[in-house]
Amino acid sequence: MTTYFLGGGNMAAAIIGGLRRQGETDIHVVGRNAHKQQQLAADYGVAVSSTLPPLSAEDVLVLAVKPQDMAAATAGLDTGGALVLSVAAGLTVATLSRYLGGAERIIRIMPNTPGQVGKGMAGLYAPPHISAADRARAESMMQSNGGVIWLPEEADIHDIIAVCGSGPAYVFYLLDALQQAAQAQGFDAAEARRLSLATFEGAVALAAAADTDFAQLQRNVTSKGGTTQQALAVFEERGVAEAIVAGAAAAAARSREMEQQFAQAAGAAS
Ligand SMILES: NC(=O)c1ccc[n+]([C@@H]2O[C@H](COP(=O)([O-])OP(=O)(O)OC[C@H]3O[C@@H](n4cnc5c(N)ncnc54)[C@H](OP(=O)(O)O)[C@@H]3O)[C@@H](O)[C@H]2O)c1
């Protein structure tokens, strides 16, 4: 019962870190970069190789190469009936099955990078024929990286990408904006970094502890005629919230577009 990773990059390392914290030892990474492979072996004590050994139905194969590398990486690959978990954006179960010679035991996972520190949020989609045991195995793997949500439809993957996959970048954008604001008020760069991080951490902890919606929490700290109200009035006037909603919609639209391109390319190749 080995968990194999095809591709040993950032996302593979994040998931492997979680699996190791969970106590899983039977992990094998197949990659093409000897230096990175040695690093993974040293960091996580995993087995590494440049080719995939024969798989059996008890094994799990995690596809963790970039979507554009998937066709080449899976060419001629025999899954041996193993459960296939793909973290690749833009590649549908149908496209992956075509790459894998008709394999049917495929679950899609859309993780995000906070999984590296055990604070990820992953969306999972399994076609209806996938067994409860296979679903449980995928869920357990991703719980080692943080939270999971099952998506009823494969198209929901675009929505989770728009919110959670790309979301950490939105938060870094806001952190950077608050850091810029702090520097504009005269704090040096290091202080500004510390102040913005602490403010985000504190506000998120408060929101997580409160059984109150976010808009109410915001009203709770906004006195009429006070300082916060002045700032929020500027955000409202400049449409900051609308811009974030529109940005996430643009990410989802781009995800749909990329999926179509890969599906067309896979169809043309087969
Ligand atoms: N990063 C994210 O935030 C995120 C979020 C959700 C999903 N994902 C998905 O995760 C997947 C991996 O992304 P990543 O950020 O981890 O990319 P990455 O760091 O570039 O890792 C991909 C790895 O695959 C290796 N590779 C490429 N072709 C191969 C082949 N034929 N055989 C074996 N290994 C091969 C690459 O080797 P080289 O080092 O030689 O290039 C690289 O180490 C993507 O499909 C992406 O859509 C990523």
Side-chain angles (χ1 to χ4, degrees), residues 9-160:
N10 297 318
M11 195 39 77
I15 298 173
I16 290 167
L19 288 173
R20 295 292 286 125
R21 284 194 295 275
Q22 222 179 35
E24 182 154 345
T25 51
D26 207 351
I27 302 171
H28 185 128
V29 181
V30 178
R32 61 179 182 184
N33 178 319
H35 175 70
K36 277 191 192 170
Q37 298 295 98
Q38 280 158 13
Q39 195 60 51
L40 277 174
D43 290 347
Y44 301 106
V46 295
V48 294
S49 65
S50 58
T51 54
L52 195 63
L55 304 181
S56 76
E58 284 73 47
D59 296 322
V60 171
L61 174 62
V62 183
L63 301 178
V65 302
K66 293 272 188 203
Q68 60 271 25
D69 291 331
M70 193 67 80
T74 54
L77 189 154
D78 179 2
T79 67
L83 170 63
V84 177
L85 307 178
S86 170
V87 299
L91 298 176
T92 61
V93 168
T95 299
L96 291 163
S97 177
R98 215 176 278 179
Y99 287 164
L100 295 169
E104 288 187 343
R105 221 174 139 202
I106 301 173
I107 294 179
R108 286 186 67 189
I109 297 175
M110 190 43 57
N112 68 0
T113 49
Q116 286 166 20
V117 290
K119 297 267 185 188
M121 188 67 221
L124 278 69
Y125 168 75
H129 66 267
I130 297 292
S131 72
D134 283 351
R135 288 167 198 260
R137 205 155 166 199
E139 184 172 319
S140 160
M141 183 175 97
M142 292 320 295
Q143 275 170 340
S144 73
N145 271 235
V148 301
I149 181 172
W150 279 100
L151 305 170
E153 305 289 336
E154 187 163 18
D156 298 335
I157 290 265
H158 304 299
D159 307 327
I160 202 83

